Amino acid sequence: MERLRFFLNDKPVEETGLSPTTTLLRYLRDRVHLTGTKEGCAEGDCGACTVAVLEHDSQGAPALRAVNSCLVLLPMVQGKRVYTVEALKEGGKYHVVQEMLARELGSQCGYCTPGIAMAMLEACHRRDMDEPWKLDAQMCGNLCRCTGYRPIREAANQVAGLRPQDRFARALAEARPEPMALAYEAGAQRFFTPGSMDALWDVLDKHPDARFVMGGTDLSLEVTKRYAEPPLLVSLEALPELHVLEPRGGGHRLGATVWLTDLEDYARVACPPLERMLRYFGSRQIKNRATVGGNLCTASPIGDMAPVLLSLGAEAVLRSRAGERRVPLEDFFQGYRRTALGRGEVLAYVDVPAQPEGARALAYKVSKRRELDISAVSAGFRVVVDGEGKVTEARLAYGGMAATPARARRTEAALVGQPWTEATVEAALARLDEDFKPLSDHRGSAWYRAQVAKNLLRGFFHETLSTPVPRLAEGHSATVQVR
Amino acid sequence: MSTLPSSPDTAHAQQPGPSHSPLHAPAPHESGLKHTSGEALYVDDLPSPPGMLVGHLVTSTHAHARILRRDASRARELPGVHAVLLAEDIPGDNQVGPVVHDEPLMAVDEVLFLGQTVALVLAENAAVARRAAALVEVEYEPLPALLSIKAAVDAGSFLTTPHVIGRGDPDAALAAAPVRISGECMTGAQDHFYLETQASLAVSGEDDTVHLWSSTQHPSEVQAIVAGVLGVGRHHVVVEVPRMGGGFGGKETQAAPFAALAALGARATGRPVKVWLNRDQDMAFTGKRHPFWGHYEAGLDSEGRLLALNVELVSDGGWSTDLSHAILDRALFHLDNAYFVPALRFTGRVARTNLPSNTAFRGFGGPQGMFVMEEVLNRAAELLGLDPAVVRERNYYREAPAQLTPYGQAVEGNRLPRIHAELMASSDYARRRAEIEAFNKGSRWTKRGIGFQPVKFGISFTTSFLNQAGALVVVYTDGSVQLNHGGTEMGQGLHTKMRAVCAHELGVPPERVRVMNTATDKVPNTSATAASSGSDLNGMAVKQACEVIRERLRPVAARLLQAERGGEVDALAFTGGRVFLPARPERSVSFAEVVHAAYLAQVSLSSTGYYRTPDISYDRVAGRGKPFHYYAFGAAVVEVEVSGLTGEHRVRRVDILHDVGTSLVPSIDRGQVEGAFIQGVGWLTCEEVLFDAKGRLVTHSPDTYKIPAVGDAPEDFRVALLERAPQDSTIHGSKAVGEPPFMLAIGAVTALRHAVAAFGPSRTPVELASPATPEAILRAVEVARAAGALPDGKD
């Protein structure tokens, strides 16, 4: 059987006998005693465990990515270069991110600080830190309870895009990171990373109940919170066929295994409603590991990719050894955390079609906290208005309102054929209570969800009056950008 | 420039002069660089001693139940399990209550909250411990549980008798008042969410001794409780605190049970034992900021001046007393905030519920009390159509007799009128308020608001005898210094300040002073590092210890410098690592030379120091006294924007002017002000602690419990420390800073109310719940809109 192999702070590491669901965090602290990396929550919500992994970006160029080591399972870094906070100080000299954090008093108790430093390290080596909002987007996955963040912002601002000639720059220049195939086994647990589609089908033939995993941003919680020991995981990371992100027929093909960070970069120009959703999706660390396919296949009622893709008329492309089939996304979700995927079948792509003439489209996410929170309500809207100002098509998709992400069919029907006016919207909104009977929970009461669901459509109407597909305004923006 | 030298220890001053003192100058955090590199060690980072076991808690699954049976026999048989301990395995007292002895370490016949410890598993690793925990059999007979203040009040369930503070005849004054306001308000719990969860490591030694490394703000109390649980003298227990990854009050009393379990496990097995809580356990097992219910009746004149105020407070103490008494007292002491109330009756009581035992949290009841007063003044301003800042200014404490607090202490040196004037000008409040009014008229879905918040906060432990501290300063013959003091470092920068005080007194560069881990065998019988008092109390003790050593060195230095004539000895200056006569600075000796000479002359090079706060006392029965050494002051102006579609808000700008006296280290104090403010904003907006109908914590991790993230910090955050404001009889003129700025965040509520009101007609009463989550704000917006829709809506 194969060994786990990767580079830790530039030193090669080989391991056998460790459970494949050992998290990178526990490995660092318990096995190799690198205690700089802290556990603050073991669920990717605090960032204290942030480390950097050398990956490639959507253009295939090497990129240093901050990730939550509490959610990374060891086989996921096979062949990769992993850097912990201990790698920052070189030859007895502190790194510029450390020096700036200390100078600005960006640490008080210091427990979140190693994670903050590693998130800043990614910012330090990013080539696209050209706009102020990117700072908060970079740092929102790191909770600090002491400072109130002002000095952390200052420090991050000073290092963003600096790209010093440090060990990371040397690694970026030299490394050609490629995901490596792996077949790993320890005890009763196995972890496969097939390197080709044929190898994938072989695994699935033998183990039709295998669970798929990519970044583990959802699945790893079963390990860290419920102490599950899944017997077999299959990672789709080393399948170049699925890792595509490209324009297609006036629309877009989104590979199931594309990291959301890359999708966000792509969507900024190509598909503003998607960017609008992704701006407040998770954190930088989460988006560096979460994928389109993972987010859709968990089929959570509050998966944030679903409403916007539903509203844009996306189709899921499913592949198996037998071939390919296309499923409208609304039919992909079959119930609470159930999908249309059959045995031996994977979600390969999501195809977003070309948007029709006269389309107005946007997406919204509302949560208790703006950043790194789970939606109370999310929504993707697309309304097509003809030359006479009449609605010819309406796709209103919501998350958090039902057991699956779902369209508001009755409300849609009340819009179609009507003039696209405030009066039409107000009249149609009465139907939303027939479409959904939302639940009350700690994220919001049924009243709040129903009220916000309506208000988002009101906001959508006003926001798209002058610009059919508005870009996200810069700065700290409200969810609905209307005065 | 990508890297800098790692060692700052190159700044050995050669040029003597007053500028070498590190006091009153900005400086980085003493451990700042180590924080950034992971070299700073916390309890869970210490190298595991050989044979270390994991201590895992088995906890109750009911909020209130009788225990019918406990059986650990199956769990004990599991390979890898070294022991499973129950209450009867405790050699000493099964008791960890810090003030009132109502807190068993392990439950015997009844559990009083969901999460109470019933058994302790000691196993080779966490996985085995969890499997063993599942095999511990506990049979419960569920009993009715009280899960809210209201349920407890209805059931007559209290932890304290009422504490009453009164003055004049408030009922008559209320009856005569032209304007009367009455109502209820609630403030919610708040989890400390220190990034480092509770952690203890215990190693047993010979003669029944135990050495603990504990993440605690109160090592002496941990020592006392551990000794009690083990049934040994306190001299058998040493508690050491390396540093904490945040405390905020959550490790004042509540580190002790976990330390006691670790010590118990170490004694029982002979192995080192670590008890470390993961985030979900930490949040479920430990207490939070006390929720408070308040009822008020206020009488004012038509210009918003308070004439009378009756307030009844009830806090949720949880299942045991913990510090609830003192927290309630501080809430009562801060109901007045900065305002003179001629006639009043403040009553407070602690309810007992079947929830985790609520505990100290930055402000210690002060924020909860103050919130009620600010609610009254906001409602008065809304009712009277006045600027809430004006209403506040009209009510400030003034000259006698309007300088007496409800408990009879005079507000001396009231800096609020000055702070008010300076902040109004520097924040451009009046112009911005007018601009906001104009903006709101032209904006349908989005409204802005501005709020002004003054704070007066009493400094001292209100349990007067706690106001004492000690230090132990050790000088080695190379002139290097080890500094021990009774305070603990939780991030607040106490060690940075203490090192500066020590370096100043001895006249050496701060790099020559090493602040040691806080340990009960170095400085005994300490008070908690709490009540914002760490620098005030320990600073004085450090200063005293250093003075003793310096005065012993003085004649030695005089001999070396041949400056022994009358007056010259006393004139010698110790600064910048050198000793010299100011009149002859060109002729100096190094501190190290003096120390070495002193050693050869058989002069002692170590000293303790001690300080107690003079002239404070309080009579709880009479409700009268001088509980505070002095008051700290500050004020904030907060501007927000609210979405009337989602109820979301963002903080656009914050201006703070805060009084820290003459700051010991201004960069540290600024960090305290900023951090406290944002923590307060979290308490009042996004942080919501929720329990289900069975008393199970629903918001038990950052997935569901949301503290502020980077985007919640104000876009524009301007913090200034009040200049030229030295305080009498404190360490180098400084003032405490840890807690007071927390309450400045109430200004965000005033600002939110301003924005919410703008969705309705003028003088719309605002009904905004706390915390002001998006849902709470949207509800308030809907109520305001409905007021505008009413046919008889006044406009």
Side-chain angles (χ1 to χ4, degrees), chain B residues 625-696:
Chain B
K626 182 182 184 256
F628 303 117
H629 187 38
Y630 63 87
Y631 295 100
F633 302 95
V637 170
V638 185
E639 182 180 335
V640 301
E641 182 171 295
V642 165
S643 163
L645 290 166
T646 63
E648 295 165 298
H649 81 278
R650 61 200 176 101
V651 181
R652 288 166 50 81
R653 177 174 158 184
V654 174
D655 295 67
I656 291 174
L657 181 57
H658 201 79
D659 163 31
V660 296
T662 303
S663 176
L664 288 177
V665 184
S667 52
I668 295 287
D669 284 341
R670 182 183 182 184
Q672 287 297 293
V673 172
E674 292 173 342
F677 178 83
I678 296 299
Q679 209 170 59
V681 168
W683 173 53
L684 293 166
T685 62
C686 52
E687 296 183 38
E688 197 171 23
V689 173
L690 297 167
F691 293 89
D692 70 11
K694 293 187 166 171
R696 186 181 303 274

Side-chain angles (χ1 to χ4, degrees), chain A residues 197-211:
Chain A
M197 295 307 283
D198 281 337
L200 170 66
W201 308 137
D202 290 345
V203 170
L204 295 186
D205 283 348
K206 259 196 258 174
H207 309 284
D209 293 325
R211 295 184 66 188

